[in-house]
Amino acid sequence: MRTDQDQPVRLADYQPSAWLVETVHLDVALNATATRVRARLKLKPNTAAPAAAPLTLDGDGLALQSIALDGTALPADAYTATPDTLSIAQPPQRPFELTIETLVDPTANTQLSGLYRAGNTYCTQCEAEGFRRITYFLDRPDVMAVYTTRIEAEKADAPVLLANGNLIESGDVAGTTRHFAVWHDPFPKPSYLFALVGGALGHIEDTFVTMSGRRVALRIYVEPGREDRAGFAMDALKRAMRWDEQAFGREYDLDIFMIVAVSAFNMGAMENKGLNVFNDKYVLASPETATDIDYASIDGIIAHEYFHNWTGNRITCRDWFQLCLKEGLTVFRDQEYTADQRSRPVKRITDVRLLRAHQFVEDAGPLAHPVRPEIYREINNFYTATVYEKGAEIVRMLKTMLGAQGFRAGMDLYFQRHDGHAATVEDFIACFADATETDLAQFMRWYRQAGTPEVAVTLSHDPKTKTCTLDLTQMLRPTPGQPDKEPMVIPLALGLVGPDGRDLPLRLADGRTVEHGVVTLTQPTEVFVFAGVPARPVASLNRAFSAPVKLTANLTADELRFLAAHDSDPFNRWQALQTLGSTLLTDNVKALRAGAAMRTDAGLIDALGAILAEPALEPAFVAQALTVPSEADIARELGHDVDPDAIFAARVALRAAIGDALGAALRETYRRLSGGGPYSPDAASAGRRSLKNVALDLLAAAGSAAAIARAAQQYHTADNMTDRMAAIATLSFHPVPERQAAIDDFYRRFQADPLVIDKWFALQAGIPEAATLARVQELTRHPAFSLGNPNRVRSLIGAFAQMNQTQFNRADGTGYAFVADTILALDGRNPQVASRMMTAFKSWRALEAGRRAKAEGELRRVAAAQSLSTDVRDIVERSLAPA
Ligand code: BES
Ligand code: ZN
């Protein structure tokens, strides 16, 4: 394990590698506890780096067996080997071949980084720094090599042997019970994209003919017997391949594309060249076991990893500071794919909900960092909402500012200029600047400055001159290490909505035009005067959430209801309702804290009723409109003195009021959307199910016994997991006997299916009542639970810490103590998963004083523990650093 002595890494210290690797020949003899890895590396001095350097290879917990240079064993005084480095002080300053033998134990690898066993399957995970746990190497993304991999194993143990690229040879090892396979990947790649898999796996296959007519074999490998659950993933893969051709002109490049689903995986999935490895949760789906949300996640993640083939693999990152270059861009690409496959406005709403729930919160707390960080102690801790989600928003803003054509021209130039190379964020932005002749120097601040910009807008109208004036001010608060900030480039899509509900033409009084309905702020304050505006309009700002900012427009409740009813931008219709809801909820939380009475908002409920009654709206949108801000949303809006019990109470009251006032319409909606043909995961059907289930949940929230009975009935009679899960989730919020009956039934039905039992864990961990902590503690002793499997940990402990606001944040601090204990128990085994769990404490400073003290106590207890991983130590110390 990496230890806390590791020095931080700084972007400013980047140096090209003194040595390059041209080819890698790996020879891996798989064995459960002693896998022998022979690596033959063709090394050469890097002419772009300072000359005559020693050679230092990275390792992590390795045991060197032998080392030879150009075929001759190296004398012991010519090199030094520790578990973490292998160095040759005076290597020949010319190309040479190094042969290194190491021995690794896949069974003992509980970190799930490097070569490990997931069940009985051998698999690898090398991003970011796992390759060095397999062999000594220049384990950095700007060292790109051509790999040939020979894998050998007992036939009975691992009948399937896979690695990156194309299969060039396979057969039996004569006179033994062993066999081998040789894979060759012609595309130079960094070590983090290396993968191999060995095991007894079933598969499904298909073919894809690329736009230039090349045939590609597609295979998805799964645990034998699960093949019938991989069909949707295959369908998603083909749609993603076609979309990348049509939207970006990008074609697949090898003869085969493989996906392997494994049961133990730290992340969601990994884009290894030609051999994606997936958490099985994001491959396997059947109507009985997967919800609509599971299907949508599979679709998006399959696409995401496939899209990396160009944005990440063909063009990779120069160093890990550039992580957003591949992740932010690829998230943008997968978001656009989903928007094209499903409903664009609904996709935007879900993405913005996610951005605010995770990224805005990160940006407001002690873990805030720029989209391109400048220093890290542990790179695994920078796979964050900021790098991913805000990184994607930056790419989206580029498209908004440059237009679809300009954006495509920039992307084409990027692929043309940097194909086969390791690039930087500057390289990427230069392609858009060059292709469209735009100065993007100030725009680069989005990569450097952490924090969420706040934009305040006031609108004034002068009927005499028929002008309307928007005064805009931007502000960016200090974040850790960045006390002073400079103004950002903020593209705001906007409309002025006239009294008839229609958009007015946008004509600036000074004669400038507003292209694509977007004004771009660059200064701390700016004024835009619009001409030809006879009556006071309502400003609809930041349409489609064109910039990831916090906007305060001080619209009246009447104006917000007007936008909710009439805005031509569906995102802002939803936003207007959220703003009304969030204002009411934050007011009521403050009232509860002050011992005062809560208020109601009949106008908001009328507006929701009107949305429910508008037949042309897609059900998925209506479901989003009826979903009031989450507990975490309200906490974020409050920003300080956060009392999760008061938030919960305010939210329960609003949901009850909606369910009560709109009861008839909700019952009618539920009735109308029930039934229908056999389950299909398509977006329209999923949208109908989501509205139906939101209606049922609101009716139950209003305390209707009939709704509880209907939920119980839906639970027991559902023919698909979406409806079954929605019903049991509704029941879970109410202390009724039907709840425990459904929980027990769920276990009996699905006990053979670990991915479904994860839903059972998460459901119970999310129950908002005092008995939940004891229930969760009890469940950690359940035979289906294991700290060794990340999916189990995330579904029980993760759900408790991240979804159950009132119980994780128990006033007595026992929720914090339980999660801290679990992190300490997990850290020695799997630091990556432990450190993710630690981020549940990231908003501790915003809590009311009593809980803040309890949370801080637990953070300090973790910080004081003996032998923490670098991963957890980094998160806990940054969390505690003085604000
Ligand atoms: N490259 C990452 C997976 C990864 C992350 C590996 C961190 C090692 C360390 C992959 O492309 C990815 O981003 N996966 C996401 C899902 C995606 C849809 C955003 C994940 O695993 O959560
Ligand atoms: Zn990714």
Side-chain angles (χ1 to χ4, degrees), residues 28 44 65 112 130 196 361 368 379 407 446 717 745 764 766 833 853:
V28 180
K44 64 172 187 189
Q65 303 298 299
L112 314 188
L196 73 76
V361 174
I379 188 55
F407 179 73
W446 278 107
T717 59
D745 175 83
Q764 296 178 81
V833 174

Side-chain angles (χ1 to χ4, degrees), residues 70-120:
D70 285 337
T72 309
L74 266 186
D77 61 354
Y79 69 93
T80 51
T82 71
D84 300 340
T85 53
L86 171 58
S87 43
I88 302 178
Q90 291 172 313
Q93 298 296 313
R94 55 159 174 84
F96 65 87
E97 195 175 90
L98 199 61
T99 310
I100 303 166
E101 234 180 71
T102 50
L103 206 55
V104 299
D105 181 345
T107 304
N109 185 349
T110 58
Q111 296 184 41
L112 314 188
S113 161
L115 175 67
Y116 67 95
R117 298 204 91 182
N120 288 324

Side-chain angles (χ1 to χ4, degrees), residues 17-39:
S17 175
W19 292 87
L20 296 178
V21 185
E22 287 198 293
T23 60
V24 180
H25 284 83
L26 280 177
D27 193 338
V28 180
L30 290 175
N31 176 286
T33 53
T35 291
R36 201 249 310 123
V37 179
R38 186 182 301 125

Side-chain angles (χ1 to χ4, degrees), residues 127 269 271 304-305 308 311 326-328 330-331 334 383 388:
E127 187 177 7
E271 70 266 25
H304 176 99
E305 306 310 338
H308 269 314
T311 51
K326 74 177 178 80
E327 294 302 348
T330 304
V331 169
D334 83 54
Y383 289 76
Y388 274 66

